[in-house]
Amino acid sequence: MDENEEEYDEDAALDARRARWTATGTGVLLALAGLAASTLRLTGSAPVLVPGAYAFGAAVCALAAVLGARGRTRRALWLLIVGVMVMALGDQFD
């Protein structure tokens, strides 16, 4: 193995670790934001569908955080997108 291959392996490992941390952190942050929005909407006069959509979107983002921590960063990214879209769709019903 020459020097360039070792450097490439280290860079790839660092990129993978960074992707896992990013997916996990973003998933946790969006899940907490979704739960907070769900709680705020539940105490207000919004229809039941709105806090339910926020809670479901938060659950999807939490699942994305778990997948991201396990190294499934592509699936985590798509689940983060779906979770945010569900929360945005729920906001439209208000």
Side-chain angles (χ1 to χ4, degrees):
M1 206 191 253
D2 70 359
E3 189 175 307
N4 290 335
E5 288 180 13
E6 289 177 11
E7 184 177 316
Y8 177 75
D9 290 340
E10 291 174 7
D11 289 342
L14 181 63
D15 287 344
R17 187 175 303 119
R18 191 175 299 142
R20 284 193 303 269
W21 277 103
T22 302
T24 303
T26 304
V28 168
L29 182 68
L30 288 173
L32 290 175
L35 286 176
S38 175
T39 304
L40 288 173
R41 296 292 183 151
L42 191 62
T43 59
S45 63
V48 177
L49 187 61
V50 175
Y54 277 113
F56 183 71
V60 171
C61 289
L63 177 63
V66 170
L67 287 178
R70 293 185 178 183
R72 306 287 187 192
T73 54
R74 286 185 190 149
R75 290 184 181 131
L77 173 65
W78 285 109
L79 282 178
L80 289 172
I81 292 168
V82 168
V84 170
M85 287 177 61
V86 167
M87 287 189 250
L89 182 65
D91 196 40
Q92 295 298 315
F93 291 122
D94 190 18

